[in-house]
Amino acid sequence: MIKHYRLGHPSYETNAVVEHIQITPGTPSPLHYRQTTKEVHFDYVLEKSDIVYGLGENLHGINKRGFLYRSECRDISPHMEGLASLYAAHNFLIIDGEEHIGIFLDVPGIVTFDVGHSDMDTLSISCENLDMDVYILTCSSTKEIVREFRKLIGQSYIPPKWGFGYGQSRFGYKNEQDIQEVLHTHHEHGIPLDALYLDIDYMERYKDFTIDKERFPAFPTFVKKMKKDNIHLVPIIDAAIKIEEGYHVYEEGVKHNYFCKDKDGHDFIAGVWPGRCHFPDVLNTEARNWFGDQYRYLLDQGIDGFWNDMNEPSIFYSAQGIDNAMKKVDELRNQNLDIDSFFSLVHTFSHLSNNRLDYELFYHNVDGTRIRHDAIHNQYGYHMTKAAQEAFQRYDEKKRFLLFSRSSSIGMHRYGGIWTGDNSSWWSHLVLNIKMMPSIQMCGFLYTGADIGGFMEDTTEELLMRWLQFSIFTPLMRNHYCSSRDQEAYQFKNTPAFRNIIETRYALLPYVYSEFMKAALHQDFYFYPIAFDYPQDSIARECEMQLFLGDSIMIAPMYEQNATGRYVYLPEDMLCLTMRSLKDFDAIQLPKGHHYLPVDTHEFTIFIRKNKILVMGDSALSTAQLDDTSLYIFAYVEDSASYSYYHDDGYSTNYDVDQNTTQISVCKDGDTYHIDHPSSIHCQALCIMG
Ligand code: MIG
């Protein structure tokens, strides 16, 4: 059951939810409501065994207990343990105990979640915005809560199938030759690839919707040439527009008042990549449509995928901030700097970027209503992405476009996916990646992934290999970095092992894609915690380094340097595949319980659940060359197993039709197995045990 409460008079419509639910008077029970003049608080006393799930893209574990979180979209890195927020505002959490309670705060401003940080037994949510909608979901299970919540917020964004292929990216590829070379080397080593990403260097001095003519002299021809090799180029788009006479995006924006304003009504100036910039007012319908239409410049040249960056929005400095800092320098020049004055000088500069106070300096015109940015701060990335996706649909409503964003809040999940920003090449960030995936997906963002290998700092062969082994399961599979050590899959000694891992991703695509599509279309599950299916199993409730993936499998990634094996807890009997490649694997039936499994550096495991089927196919150099009608069957069959296999053309938007799903089943008949499948699909048993 979902109850909708309204506090105060929310004047801004986030459109996070798509279902209309009548308002229940009063305050959101069973939360304990308190209000001070400055804040509202919702408290809830946690039992020792309660788990708190959710909060999407954030730090720490799957169980959020013990820490403080803040929904405040920020451009922040490195992602240190002490942070309270990253780039997103995902205000949904679940209390899982005797009762199952889902809480969604539909509010565009900043919210703080103290999940047993100040008092280990108290969940305390606070918000400076006194006007908001609160949804309380009560269901018989945690899984049901997630399903109901996802119904409430509407269908998740569905990317084209090539968005599930492997992508390579670097903040540092400079020109056509660099890109060409990266493609060539992947292919030389037989490593599949679907996408090459263009970071800001493709632009003319960091101006959105321009292409540097020296670096890419014949861009449309280059795009076509890449397409022939089944490679999609995916350019980055930044939130801020450079102030420059003659730059048409700037001039049009000024002319039509499409930029955010300062308190005096002038276009607000913020320093970002290109220097002084304006922010398109994507919360204004007309400005949003205009901004979205700018993507046509690239669409017309054959581009069909984008990543939206810096849309928290990130501010290096405001005019006012830099002015104050410079004044401070003048003031202190030639002075004796003691501990106080020295650190105050340092502080002035170190707090220039992404300073909360700068968000109080500009205003949106929300279709006639002037709203100061800080009140709706968490909506900016969402609306930049909405701008793009709506424009793509106007451009070609029959086609899917790849789109993911750095900043997000709930509601945006209908328009695009997210990547998890500037992580580091640390083992702890591989762990964070694993734990973050199910939390993000609970909040509706199904299409997601991290920068594989780590964005900042130098990766190592072992870290990248383990990270890739996990990432063959994530919807977005992109290696992206900015460090000086080359990080492409062919840069290390054991290239064949890297190829095998990425080939296995392509072999897994029939399953990965089928599970993703079913999850998106039916509010079903892609990644989810083991405890969701075993809420009474006290060990399963604490398992965070294993995940269920869809209907048939569990994964238990390797995540430690020098480890050649790990403990795995099976909440039920399973068939364990230890894989080196699609056709080089060992299979062993394991009973429910604890196991130590050897998993050498070039190996990874997949666990098939009882009476479940895993479908795989042959790998190919790109998703376009995959044959999704010829499947290998891996199955653990005690008596019979069946699988709903979803497949489609991978690019059109009429995906929600019954013909796309077919049934495959395996029956045990004495010592033999019989596979039942539609005649349109060819099935071959590769490993069936039971
Ligand atoms: O200030 O475009 O998270 O993926 O490579 C950094 C350069 C701006 C941040 C993104 C990262 C991207 C980088 N961007």
Side-chain angles (χ1 to χ4, degrees), residues 452-664:
I452 300 167
F455 177 70
M456 300 195 295
E457 304 207 27
D458 289 345
T459 201
T460 62
E461 176 157 15
E462 190 169 339
L463 177 58
L464 181 64
M465 197 175 289
R466 290 308 197 190
W467 209 318
L468 278 165
Q469 288 165 352
F470 167 62
S471 306
I472 62 176
F473 301 106
T474 59
L476 167 64
M477 186 189 185
R478 180 179 76 144
N479 179 336
H480 176 49
Y481 70 108
C482 72
S483 41
S484 56
R485 184 175 193 178
D486 296 336
Q487 191 172 300
E488 292 79 12
Y490 49 73
Q491 299 287 5
F492 299 91
K493 270 204 299 213
N494 196 355
T495 311
F498 284 97
R499 182 184 55 236
N500 288 340
I501 295 164
I502 298 168
E503 279 186 345
T504 309
R505 158 62 162 218
Y506 280 69
L508 271 167
L509 270 177
Y511 182 76
V512 163
Y513 185 69
S514 168
E515 289 309 304
F516 182 94
M517 293 302 290
K518 289 188 293 178
L521 296 172
H522 313 302
Q523 293 87 41
D524 227 320
F525 292 84
Y526 190 85
F527 284 130
Y528 64 103
I530 308 301
F532 275 24
D533 280 349
Y534 289 93
Q536 306 299 340
D537 179 333
S538 59
I539 298 166
R541 284 176 76 79
E542 293 183 10
C543 273
E544 299 215 346
M545 296 312 291
Q546 307 171 202
L547 300 172
F548 280 133
L549 194 182
D551 190 49
S552 311
I553 66 172
M554 181 182 87
I555 61 169
M558 295 293 296
Y559 55 88
E560 273 177 331
Q561 171 72 38
N562 304 319
T564 55
R566 63 163 280 183
Y567 286 96
V568 177
Y569 174 69
L570 306 188
E572 61 187 44
D573 301 349
M574 290 185 187
L575 175 63
C576 170
L577 305 173
T578 304
M579 314 208 49
R580 289 164 289 276
S581 69
L582 170 65
K583 294 198 179 149
D584 179 11
F585 60 86
D586 307 315
I588 178 173
Q589 259 170 267
L590 295 174
K592 167 181 162 53
H594 295 283
H595 299 272
Y596 181 84
L597 298 172
V599 191
D600 209 345
T601 319
H602 59 293
E603 297 179 324
F604 49 96
T605 51
I606 300 178
F607 300 82
I608 303 178
R609 302 177 71 175
K610 196 183 281 184
N611 290 325
K612 296 290 182 186
I613 296 170
L614 169 65
V615 293
M616 290 177 71
D618 276 313
S619 180
L621 269 187
S622 71
T623 53
Q625 291 149 282
L626 288 174
D627 176 4
D628 60 4
T629 61
S630 186
L631 302 177
Y632 296 113
I633 303 296
F634 292 74
Y636 181 12
V637 186
E638 202 169 52
D639 34 74
S640 72
S642 72
Y643 182 66
S644 293
Y645 176 51
Y646 177 99
H647 68 131
D648 63 15
D649 62 22
Y651 59 83
S652 65
T653 45
N654 66 332
Y655 28 66
D656 200 2
V657 289
D658 291 342
Q659 305 91 279
N660 290 348
T661 309
T662 54
Q663 296 302 319
I664 296 170

Side-chain angles (χ1 to χ4, degrees), residues 171 199-200 236 273 307 309-310 316 406 419 422 455 480:
F171 179 18
D199 209 319
I200 45 177
I236 194 171
W273 274 106
W307 47 310
D309 191 20
M310 305 290 276
F316 291 174
R406 190 169 74 178
W419 98 98
D422 299 351
F455 177 70
H480 176 49

